[in-house]
Amino acid sequence: MITRRIQYEIAGNVVGPFLTSLDKWRKKLRPKKKGPKKEHPFGPPLESVNRLKDIMTRYYFQGRYADGAVPVAWVTSGFPVEIFRPLGFWTVYPENHAAICSVQRVVPELSDVVEKEGYARDLCGYARADIGSVMTGKTPVGRLPKPDLLACCTNICQTVLYWYRALAEHFKIPLVLIDTPYVYGEAPEHHRQYVKDQLLELLEVAQKITGKTIEPEALAEVTRKANIGSKLWGRCLDASKNKPAPWTGFDEFFHMAPIVSLRGSDECNDYYRGLAEELEDRVKRGVGGLKKETHRLMWDNLPIWFNVRGMSDLLAQNGFNFVCTTYTNAWYEAGKVIDERDPMGSAAKAYTHIILNEDLPKRLSLMKRLAREYDVVGAVLHSDRSCKPYSIGQYDLKDRLQAEANIRVMVLEADHADPRAFSAEQADNRLTAFMESFA
Amino acid sequence: MRKAYIEEQKSRHGRKAVVVLPVHYPREILTAMNVLAVELWGPPGPPRGPEAGRLQTYVCAVVRNALAFIASGGADVADGALFPHTCDSVQGLATLAPDFGGWKKPAFRFIHPKGPLRASSRAFIRAEMVALAQSLATLGVAPPTDDALRDAIRLHREIDALKLRLADRRAYLPVNDADYYRVLRRGEFLWPTDHLNELRDIERKLLDTPAQKGIPIFITGYVPEPMSIFDVVAEAGAYVAGDDYAAVGRRVNSRTELDLSDPWAALVDLYDSASPCPTHSAEQAPRLAHLDAIMQRCGARGVIIHEQKFCEPQLFDVPALRRHFGAHGIPQLYLEGELESDFSGQARTRIEAFIETLSSPRSAA
């Protein structure tokens, strides 16, 4: 245990930072390519990208040594993780990991393994990738620490429960659940009480596993930091209300990693403070995410992780920029509600009122607000085969958005994780036709 | 026929009718409030009307067909619709149809907690049941008295007990699977006493000697659609000795002792003792033990895992089922059905071949 703890601290505080510095030096020393520079449609790269890489590399590198050194919990992206922080849990986000698997295009390989076990290919690609990863031990991040606890919250979907139950069976460890009743209209009192009661039950389980007690002040402090972090993230997103937007929606997808994985920490807040300042500076100087932003769009649903590059190139070449997305916005909307004066009560409210846990009129209202505030002329709704709760109702949303927000809307059939459920040519054709309609 | 029955129930008995999406809901509350529950499992077959196109083809057909059906006026005879919190897709339909068009009458939701019952979820489901009764009262029916609720619980317990007796004596019942399951599934829309009478009629047919000569098999799945599965099984020389269909066998509660002094608490107890179901996010180990017990009781020689495409709660359990049956040497057939169409020739051949292998004495489980 002590040796493991030493390894863990050295990995996080010495080796991790050293490796990232080494990587930077290696890049600096690499001979520059000769010949004319290739023209691209993007604005200058964000300087914060390097810090993002540092943080996430260190996070995953230190994580390799976390099990045996500190308690480890694998949690869903919408889980009230604030309760775990004061107890010293190292948290792993399988969704974030699955997104990396998708970007690295290893989902088909991992999925093949679980499909042989009987998992249908129609199930969520994230779930298939992660279950495949734990079954094979293969991961693009080197190694994921073995969990002591699995924690899932149904506010993003019920799939996570089935997915985590499979993980619990595999690891033979406890699974704690925060079950958030879907909100139709307004959540009645007994729904809010139910979530709050579960948070108290969670507190007991987490304390039992660690043998520690959460001091109310410590919980309040983490809650305060999570609230600040969410607002800072919101500040970053708000920067795109300016014209041109200082970054792209595709940038947002990658820069959301800390608010998902490190919410409630100083590291997360420092990062977003720096990013917000950089974005605001770009706004002052008129520097855009694209060199020439001609059309502003909204994106709905998860990104198509394995094809972000292809799509962003195609759109950027034509001056189209996703200046807002319902997905990245979710971490702002919920986090700003949590309140250090009432950590449990406010968490119950915040984590219940997540976009995916609210009815379609709320979703439409949010999309109309984003369309107005970010002054978009169109929207692309990603009909995501792997995410049914996000995709159900999109055909109706399309019609209503067109009529009520007076914007052009396209539904794009794809998948957030599995390239086998995606036709790049067809998607490019549809996007091209969509862009031509603005000519 | 169903429409005529509902209209008759309304006119003759002054009942309200509520169309109910799958799967689990406290039917006793509706009975106690003189509300007829008419379940909507699709319906099977191709979607009726263009409204099915409002949902992507990767959404389960039960939900797509239900949207098409209610939006085309198929359920207009009902006074309201109840959407239990079964899965992400039914949950989505519960906002899509009432909020964005397709269902104009009152919509009720019943959110049942996920996972094993804990102190928090016990309190929640009780409150949710009370809230359901209050919302149903907006149809102009009186909230249930404790006595009415007790009577309804007793009536449904009697139905469950009779279904269990029939299941235990299935081999002695001279009725083919298609007819037997048709009677069982008429409980999806009949008033409980009418359903009980039909079950009693069939019970009277029980023989003292085995009437089923085929190979006993067990089926687990969501809903026995297409119903032709029973004909295919029969033609291949087998019969369904036991089932764990979410629509049929899984909904029969085997609890025998129940304290009715507080009927709301009794409903919570019933929920707690229901057969393990993936839509409740039941843990897999108790579910597998439950399936083992049924298989042992009915003497099945093989199992058909019959799933509907895109049904996430069910599909996530398939690897565990296959592993479990495989480890116990139980012959199994995985079958993916589609609500919209009949079994393909290939699927029929697979069922026939599977049952043929069971006829070998060495294959007995």
Side-chain angles (χ1 to χ4, degrees), chain A residues 117-120 122-124 127 157-159 161-163 165 169 177 179 181-182 184 190-191 194 197-198 201 359-361 364 383-385 388-389 391-397 400 413, chain B residues 53-56 58-59 85-89 91-92 94-96 99-100 109 111 113-114 118-121 124 127-128 131 278 281-282 284 309-310 312-313 315-319 322-323:
Chain A
E117 289 292 306
Y119 288 99
D122 301 319
L123 297 172
C124 166
C157 60
Q158 289 178 43
T159 304
L161 182 47
Y162 311 126
W163 165 6
R165 201 182 50 192
E169 291 282 330
L177 162 70
D179 180 25
Y182 195 80
Y184 299 97
H190 71 278
H191 286 199
Y194 174 42
D197 288 348
Q198 291 177 84
E201 288 171 344
D359 59 22
L360 288 170
L364 176 64
S383 168
D384 183 353
R385 196 180 172 86
K388 292 172 183 72
S391 305
I392 285 177
Q394 279 181 321
Y395 295 147
D396 282 65
L397 284 168
R400 283 170 190 256
E413 300 284 343
Chain B
R54 285 169 61 194
L55 287 170
Q56 292 89 336
Y58 54 75
V59 174
H85 187 74
T86 299
C87 60
D88 289 325
S89 301
Q91 176 183 279
T95 170
L96 181 63
D99 295 326
F100 280 1
R109 285 95 177 190
I111 299 182
K114 302 296 172 188
R118 303 158 278 168
S120 57
S121 41
F124 170 72
E128 190 67 6
S281 306
Q284 285 172 342
K309 206 165 165 53
F310 305 120
E312 278 216 339
L315 291 175
F316 263 102
D317 264 9
V318 169
R322 288 173 64 166
R323 261 198 318 271

Side-chain angles (χ1 to χ4, degrees), chain A residues 216-322:
Chain A
E217 299 78 24
L219 183 59
E221 179 61 8
V222 172
T223 303
R224 187 181 68 81
K225 286 178 184 170
N227 173 273
I228 290 171
S230 299
K231 286 177 178 165
L232 285 166
W233 173 238
R235 210 173 115 192
C236 298
L237 300 181
D238 280 348
S240 286
K241 289 177 182 169
N242 296 284
K243 293 179 185 175
W247 60 341
T248 72
F250 296 107
D251 295 324
E252 290 180 13
F253 289 140
F254 289 103
H255 285 267
M256 67 190 280
I259 195 66
V260 176
S261 306
L262 298 163
R263 194 167 63 249
S265 69
D266 286 327
E267 197 176 16
C268 172
N269 294 358
D270 289 346
Y271 174 70
Y272 286 120
R273 206 167 281 116
L275 177 62
E277 284 165 8
E278 185 185 358
L279 291 168
E280 286 158 3
D281 178 60
R282 281 168 74 114
V283 169
K284 272 186 208 154
R285 293 187 290 115
V287 177
L290 303 187
K291 281 178 185 160
K292 191 179 174 197
E293 177 185 285
T294 57
H295 295 85
R296 297 161 64 83
L297 301 176
M298 171 167 55
W299 175 269
D300 181 50
N301 213 320
L302 279 77
I304 305 166
W305 286 113
F306 52 87
N307 192 50
V308 165
R309 182 66 185 269
M311 268 187 69
S312 77
D313 282 350
L314 176 69
L315 288 152
Q317 278 158 10
N318 293 282
F320 284 74
N321 190 9
F322 286 113

Side-chain angles (χ1 to χ4, degrees), chain B residues 21-358:
Chain B
L21 274 291
V23 178
H24 304 288
Y25 60 101
R27 191 164 188 166
E28 294 84 350
I29 293 175
L30 278 73
T31 304
M33 296 177 77
N34 205 29
V35 173
L36 177 72
V38 182
E39 296 174 9
L40 184 60
W41 290 83
R48 290 153 175 81
E51 299 278 337
R54 285 169 61 194
L55 287 170
Q56 292 89 336
T57 50
Y58 54 75
V59 174
C60 110
V62 171
V63 170
R64 276 192 294 119
N65 278 15
L67 175 63
F69 183 74
I70 60 175
S72 63
D76 280 358
V77 66
D79 303 289
L82 171 59
F83 299 87
H85 187 74
T86 299
C87 60
D88 289 325
S89 301
V90 174
Q91 176 183 279
L93 181 65
T95 170
L96 181 63
D99 295 326
F100 280 1
W103 183 251
K104 289 182 188 144
K105 293 184 181 180
F108 311 103
R109 285 95 177 190
F110 175 66
I111 299 182
H112 50 72
K114 302 296 172 188
L117 277 195
R118 303 158 278 168
S120 57
S121 41
R122 284 189 74 87
F124 170 72
I125 193 163
R126 183 183 173 122
E128 190 67 6
M129 286 174 179
V130 172
L132 174 64
Q134 286 167 348
S135 61
L136 284 169
T138 59
L139 291 175
V141 292
T145 62
D146 281 2
D147 280 341
L149 205 47
R150 281 189 200 97
D151 287 345
I153 293 170
R154 284 191 198 101
L155 176 58
H156 284 279
R157 303 301 308 121
E158 197 178 345
I159 291 171
D160 276 3
L162 180 45
K163 283 181 176 172
L164 282 170
R165 283 204 303 278
L166 287 170
D168 282 345
R169 305 265 298 157
R170 176 72 191 99
Y172 297 81
L173 196 61
V175 176
N176 66 37
D177 285 333
D179 290 340
Y180 176 59
Y181 274 86
R182 213 164 282 132
V183 171
L184 292 179
R185 294 199 64 196
R186 279 168 62 79
E188 291 167 13
F189 70 96
L190 289 179
W191 184 253
T193 48
D194 290 347
H195 184 42
L196 184 60
N197 288 335
E198 288 193 356
L199 292 170
R200 281 177 180 150
D201 286 346
I202 207 167
E203 188 188 28
R204 285 188 203 101
K205 294 181 181 171
L206 277 170
L207 302 176
D208 294 330
T209 52
Q212 298 296 332
K213 309 293 181 199
I215 297 163
I217 62 159
F218 171 73
I219 304 188
T220 179
Y222 190 60
V223 59
E225 295 288 0
M227 285 282 275
S228 58
I229 187 168
F230 299 118
D231 297 326
V232 180
V233 165
E235 283 161 18
Y239 76 100
V240 180
D243 86 86
D244 170 57
Y245 276 120
V248 195
R250 200 184 298 161
R251 292 202 294 172
V252 179
N253 195 315
S254 59
R255 185 169 183 140
T256 48
E257 299 291 318
L258 193 65
D259 177 5
L260 287 177
S261 55
D262 175 354
W264 295 98
L267 285 175
V268 175
D269 287 343
L270 278 171
Y271 179 87
D272 195 18
S273 54
S275 305
C277 180
T279 69
H280 282 176
S281 306
E283 288 172 337
Q284 285 172 342
R287 180 167 184 227
L288 296 172
H290 175 74
L291 299 187
D292 282 346
I294 304 177
M295 286 203 59
Q296 207 164 16
R297 218 167 46 231
C298 72
R301 288 168 59 176
V303 56
I304 296 179
I305 304 168
H306 176 206
E307 302 297 2
Q308 296 292 324
K309 206 165 165 53
F310 305 120
C311 179
E312 278 216 339
Q314 291 277 137
L315 291 175
F316 263 102
D317 264 9
V318 169
L321 294 177
R322 288 173 64 166
R323 261 198 318 271
H324 179 78
F325 293 133
H328 288 78
I330 299 169
Q332 54 179 302
L333 173 72
Y334 178 73
L335 204 59
E336 197 173 69
E338 293 207 31
L339 197 78
E340 298 115 308
S341 55
D342 204 348
F343 284 115
S344 64
Q346 191 190 28
R348 285 166 188 267
T349 305
R350 289 183 67 222
I351 296 172
E352 286 161 8
F354 174 65
I355 289 168
E356 202 177 305
T357 61
L358 298 181

Side-chain angles (χ1 to χ4, degrees), chain A residues 28-204:
Chain A
K28 272 186 191 170
L29 294 173
R30 200 179 291 159
K32 298 268 186 293
K33 280 181 187 167
K34 286 176 184 167
K37 260 196 170 178
K38 207 176 168 187
E39 271 301 308
H40 63 75
F42 299 100
L46 287 162
E47 284 173 22
S48 298
V49 167
N50 291 328
R51 282 210 58 217
L52 177 69
K53 279 184 188 163
D54 288 354
I55 290 174
M56 297 315 293
T57 303
R58 182 169 166 251
Y59 165 76
Y60 275 107
F61 188 76
Q62 188 170 23
R64 294 184 196 187
Y65 302 93
D67 44 341
V70 289
V72 175
W74 285 21
V75 298
T76 54
S77 59
F79 194 85
V81 74
E82 291 76 17
I83 288 173
F84 288 150
R85 298 257 183 261
L87 293 169
F89 272 95
W90 181 267
T91 49
V92 172
Y93 290 78
E95 288 155 71
N96 182 280
H97 173 254
I100 294 172
C101 291
S102 180
V103 171
Q104 300 290 330
R105 291 184 163 258
V106 293
V107 172
E109 181 191 345
L110 297 172
S111 183
D112 277 347
V113 177
V114 299
E115 285 169 39
K116 279 184 191 139
E117 289 292 306
Y119 288 99
R121 196 182 282 189
D122 301 319
L123 297 172
C124 166
Y126 273 1
R128 283 182 282 123
D130 270 323
I131 297 169
S133 178
V134 299
M135 281 172 64
T136 59
K138 290 181 181 171
T139 165
V141 300
R143 179 180 181 270
L144 288 174
K146 190 175 171 297
D148 301 295
L149 178 69
L150 292 158
C152 77
C153 181
T154 55
N155 56 3
I156 48 171
C157 60
Q158 289 178 43
T159 304
V160 289
L161 182 47
Y162 311 126
W163 165 6
Y164 275 55
R165 201 182 50 192
L167 296 176
E169 291 282 330
H170 176 88
F171 289 115
K172 309 287 178 216
I173 55 167
L175 163 63
V176 290
L177 162 70
I178 300 294
D179 180 25
T180 47
Y182 195 80
V183 181
Y184 299 97
E186 289 301 316
E189 176 52 34
H190 71 278
H191 286 199
R192 287 196 291 270
Q193 188 61 46
Y194 174 42
V195 179
K196 196 171 170 183
D197 288 348
Q198 291 177 84
L199 290 173
L200 293 168
E201 288 171 344
L202 166 69
L203 196 71
E204 273 183 37

